Amino acid sequence: MSLGRLVAAAVAVSLVGPVLEPSPAPADTTAVVPCPYAAPPTIPPTPASPERDPAAPVVGGPQLATKGLAVPPGAAAPPATSAMSWVVADLDTGEVLGACSPHLRRRPASVQKLLLAATALPALDPNLVVEATESDVNVPRDSSLVGLIAGGRYPVSALWYGLLLESGNDAAAALARVAGGDGGEAATVAAMNAEAHRLGADDTHAVTPSGYDAPDQFTSAYDLALIAREDLDRQAFVQYDSALTFQWPAAPPKDPKGFQIQNENKLLTGYPGAIGGKTGFTDEARHTYVGAAKRGDRRLVVTVMGAEIVPARAWKQGATLLDWGFAQPAGASVGHLVTVEEAAKLHAPPPSPAPGTPAPAAAGGTAGAAPPAPGRTLSFTVVALAVLVLLCAAGAVVMVRRARRIRV
């Protein structure tokens, strides 16, 4: 055999790789179970939902990473809805009883007002009288309004009723302006984002205090459950949010008598044990809804995003999910609503290495790398020996041929 052939054979052996068969890569067992879905009519396209970082921890537990359905083992199938995502959770234990794409990020519409309440309600004196400004009433024409009049004087408590019953974007503007102090509305929006972070609502980014559509403004069904739990644990919020009607104060001379406003959350009159919630709709968000009810000693919340009015209005779809949730046994869950303490741990930076501890390897480096599997180590050792033997044989052949030429 020629030297060239021997070397080629040695190289070929080395390129074959491990002699022993490598361990197979772990199979992907995260099959997505589709959510029960009631197909809606054709609707205008909505903004694409940002993809979550796969390396980031899944707030609430790994089962909530799904883009489909998550229900406890043995649970009955939840009712079909037209919602793109939803969550049913226990407000007191924090157990998530079931979910559909819980971390899907979508436009919030007016359920964002729940985050405004969670942020500003503790900071504002309900008896403080606010004079409405032109900026408060200068909201987009397609906004929902309670009817503030520039120059009118309104107690903060009245503004909360206007925000939660009538979903007034003008009330949202006034509350955000006053709560923000010298920083105005922008400071309140920044505080809303800080409050979402504190609660562990990491899918949420507010741009407007009212939830009016804006680029890069998102939340998720899971985050809405966290925010609603914070609100519903405050008696003042429940008082505002559960009122069926409210007499809006007069603002003479333009409005000398005032008028009555009604609560848009029909769960309060259409579902036994209802304790609060919030409706929402924009072209980009479609129908969003948060509702809560109590049955016995159990309080559940349902959050619905991206729904149409098929097979029913959003609050009714929420009611069917509440019925399903109340039918689940205590302790059944697919995850949990994180506490503020758990959220703080999730957000904490990794601990600094102790002095003298080797730094982690940079990308492509070897420091800190996992040791190769035993089978692979043996395989490469065998290959190296084979290559060495072949090279020695090649050298021997060359020496023999040279010796023969010298003798001749």
Side-chain angles (χ1 to χ4, degrees):
M1 179 181 289
S2 69
L3 175 61
R5 288 180 181 177
L6 285 171
V7 173
V11 172
V13 171
S14 67
L15 292 176
V16 167
V19 174
L20 299 180
E21 186 175 343
S23 302
D28 184 5
T29 59
T30 56
V32 176
V33 178
C35 301
Y37 193 67
T42 302
I43 61 172
T46 58
S49 299
E51 289 291 333
R52 68 177 302 276
D53 180 2
V58 181
V59 181
Q63 286 181 270
L64 300 183
T66 183
K67 294 182 178 180
L69 181 67
V71 295
T81 72
S82 59
M84 295 186 68
S85 62
W86 53 262
V87 161
V88 179
D90 191 305
L91 286 167
D92 298 308
T93 68
E95 292 164 336
V96 176
L97 307 180
C100 168
S101 297
H103 284 290
L104 179 70
R105 295 180 179 182
R106 289 191 52 82
R107 297 278 195 265
S110 282
V111 293
Q112 177 126 301
K113 294 179 171 77
L114 298 178
L115 180 57
L116 174 60
T119 305
L121 194 151
L124 290 176
D125 180 351
N127 299 313
L128 175 67
V129 176
V130 175
E131 182 173 331
T133 66
E134 289 291 344
S135 65
D136 297 335
V137 302
N138 187 24
V139 294
R141 290 181 176 274
D142 58 347
S143 287
S144 55
L145 303 172
V146 66
L148 267 66
I149 296 173
R153 294 172 62 81
Y154 307 94
V156 163
S157 58
L159 295 176
W160 286 120
Y161 284 113
L163 181 89
L164 296 170
L165 273 64
E166 198 72 20
S167 201
N169 287 4
D170 46 358
L175 287 164
R177 173 178 59 82
V178 175
D182 292 341
E185 181 178 300
T188 295
V189 170
M192 290 167 65
N193 285 316
E195 176 67 0
H197 183 76
R198 184 183 77 88
L199 296 175
D202 293 351
D203 300 322
T204 297
H205 182 245
V207 177
T208 66
S210 64
Y212 191 83
D213 287 334
D216 199 31
Q217 179 161 266
F218 298 100
T219 190
S220 67
Y222 179 85
D223 284 11
L224 288 175
L226 289 176
I227 295 163
R229 179 178 62 175
E230 183 72 7
D231 281 327
L232 290 164
D233 280 345
R234 291 193 173 104
Q235 186 55 44
F237 174 87
V238 175
Q239 176 186 326
Y240 297 133
D241 190 55
S242 62
L244 298 180
T245 62
F246 176 73
Q247 182 62 31
W248 189 251
K254 291 186 177 180
D255 180 15
K257 296 182 179 180
F259 49 90
Q260 188 183 82
I261 59 176
Q262 290 80 35
N263 199 317
E264 294 184 347
N265 180 16
K266 303 304 180 185
L267 190 80
L268 291 168
T269 54
Y271 192 84
I275 56 177
K278 186 73 191 72
T279 60
F281 175 82
T282 65
D283 288 341
E284 294 186 3
R286 309 311 295 169
H287 291 272
T288 58
Y289 181 70
V290 174
K294 184 175 182 180
R295 192 172 293 179
D297 59 355
R298 201 176 191 190
R299 294 187 310 154
L300 300 188
V301 64
V302 61
T303 61
V304 172
M305 300 196 74
E308 297 300 317
I309 54 173
V310 175
R313 295 200 174 271
W315 77 265
K316 287 189 174 181
Q317 296 183 55
T320 63
L321 288 168
L322 283 172
D323 283 341
W324 177 84
F326 280 119
Q328 303 311 306
S333 74
V334 293
H336 72 288
L337 302 180
V338 294
T339 63
V340 170
E341 293 74 21
E342 289 173 317
K345 290 180 180 178
L346 285 173
H347 297 147
S352 301
T357 303
T366 58
R376 291 182 179 270
T377 303
L378 177 60
S379 300
F380 287 117
T381 301
V382 171
V383 170
L385 288 173
V387 171
L388 181 60
V389 169
L390 288 173
L391 290 175
C392 289
V397 170
V398 172
M399 292 176 64
V400 169
R401 287 185 175 178
R402 286 180 178 173
R404 286 177 178 175
R405 290 193 184 107
I406 292 171
R407 290 193 185 101
V408 174

